[in-house]
Amino acid sequence: MVKTPDELALMRISGKLLASVFEMLDGQDLAGMSTMAVNDLVERYITMDLAARPASKGQYGFQYVLNCSINHVVCHGVPDPNEIIRDGDIINLDITLEKNGFIADSSKTYMVGAVQPAAKRLVRVAQEAMWKGIKQVRPGAYLGDIGYAIERHAKQNGYSVVREYGGHGIGREMHEEPAILNFGRPGTGLKLREGMTFTIEPMLNQGSRMVATEADGWTVVTKDRRLSAQFEHTVAVTRDGVEVLTLRGDRS
């Protein structure tokens, strides 16, 4: 669970490369693209431009390099050549990258074209909730502090937090211990130590927190079909606090 300084240096490289993938996507007009086209674009960029490996491809039998979750899809959306991204959609792109044996994991919910104000607000609060959790990270803090900060911000803004999915330890493996819940009580759970690396990834729903998995075995949706939004960063516990390893140039 605790990374050495040399291991952390390699994780910084993976994180920086993954940040550049999102910066590339920021310049794309997603409207009219299929989710498979986005998948293929990201795969080419990771493998050819960055000389890295898309860590999700082949993991748990998943065939693609990213998850693409549109509107009421909470997470684990599967790329599809027949699924077209439309003006007004919100879409979460969840991407992993491995370089030098270490993995980084991050996601961002994109607002495509003319998005309704209610959807914009959900996306904004989901990103804020992630940062509320990140700001709790420091040596001596507890995992419960992170989850409490996330859920408190969500509830204050009228949203629910998905409980079935959350963050996780990360390093040589995509999913390591510990689990990072998006709810909790302050001062409870694992005590954080310098050198720990994990993801923080709240998923906020407009309506009920209840979710269901579709017949493909991957795609998780809100049961009430209302919107869901997610943001994710890979972070490291430092001597003085926290370092966001996947931080993008726009500080998002």
Side-chain angles (χ1 to χ4, degrees):
M1 287 168 54
V2 174
K3 306 300 187 290
T4 67
D6 287 345
E7 289 172 331
L8 193 54
L10 292 175
M11 289 198 67
R12 284 191 188 97
I13 294 171
S14 298
K16 186 175 182 180
L17 291 176
L18 182 52
S20 75
V21 177
F22 287 93
E23 289 165 350
M24 178 273 291
L25 287 168
D26 289 345
Q28 303 294 319
D29 182 3
L30 298 178
M33 292 182 70
S34 72
T35 53
M36 185 64 79
V38 177
N39 177 87
D40 294 345
L41 173 68
V42 169
E43 181 167 21
R44 287 193 301 271
Y45 190 77
I46 290 175
T47 57
M48 300 180 68
D49 292 63
L50 303 181
R53 180 179 72 86
S56 296
K57 190 173 184 178
Q59 182 85 358
Y60 310 121
F62 191 71
Q63 302 176 40
Y64 309 101
V65 306
L66 54 77
N67 293 122
C68 43
S69 304
I70 299 178
N71 295 334
H72 70 282
V73 179
V74 176
C75 60
H76 303 163
V78 179
D80 183 340
N82 297 313
E83 183 176 49
I84 305 301
I85 304 167
R86 312 259 178 215
D87 185 87
D89 284 343
I90 62 172
I91 177 170
N92 179 267
L93 299 177
D94 191 343
I95 307 170
T96 61
L97 178 151
E98 180 266 321
K99 182 77 172 180
N100 302 316
F102 285 90
I103 298 172
D105 187 358
S106 186
S107 85
K108 176 177 179 176
T109 297
Y110 284 86
M111 295 182 286
V112 182
V115 174
Q116 292 295 316
K120 287 183 179 180
R121 182 175 183 273
L122 173 67
V123 172
R124 173 178 60 79
V125 174
Q127 186 174 30
E128 290 170 355
M130 176 190 66
W131 283 108
K132 294 286 186 182
I134 289 172
K135 287 176 181 177
Q136 301 302 310
V137 178
R138 62 187 182 282
Y142 294 86
L143 287 182
D145 302 339
I146 298 172
Y148 175 78
I150 288 169
E151 187 173 47
R152 181 172 183 265
H153 189 68
K155 286 186 171 180
Q156 284 177 337
N157 286 277
Y159 301 122
S160 61
V161 172
V162 174
R163 293 191 166 210
E164 289 82 356
Y165 304 93
H168 49 85
I170 191 168
R172 291 188 181 275
E173 301 294 333
M174 188 188 304
H175 295 110
E176 300 179 351
E177 293 297 328
I180 313 298
L181 304 179
N182 293 314
F183 59 94
R185 291 185 294 114
T188 65
L190 186 69
K191 195 174 189 178
L192 302 185
R193 296 168 52 195
E194 181 183 356
M196 287 181 174
T197 53
F198 48 83
T199 70
I200 294 177
E201 47 181 307
M203 302 165 203
L204 272 57
N205 293 350
Q206 271 186 330
S208 166
R209 72 171 181 84
M210 303 306 293
V211 300
T213 303
E214 295 197 330
D216 62 10
W218 289 104
T219 306
V220 178
V221 299
T222 57
K223 276 193 174 180
D224 60 12
R225 291 302 194 266
R226 297 188 70 187
L227 297 178
S228 185
Q230 175 192 2
F231 283 84
E232 174 187 15
H233 272 310
T234 297
V235 305
V237 184
T238 66
R239 181 181 304 172
D240 301 319
V242 61
E243 179 180 356
V244 181
L245 300 177
T246 47
L247 188 65
R248 298 179 267 279
D250 60 359
R251 311 301 289 177
S252 67

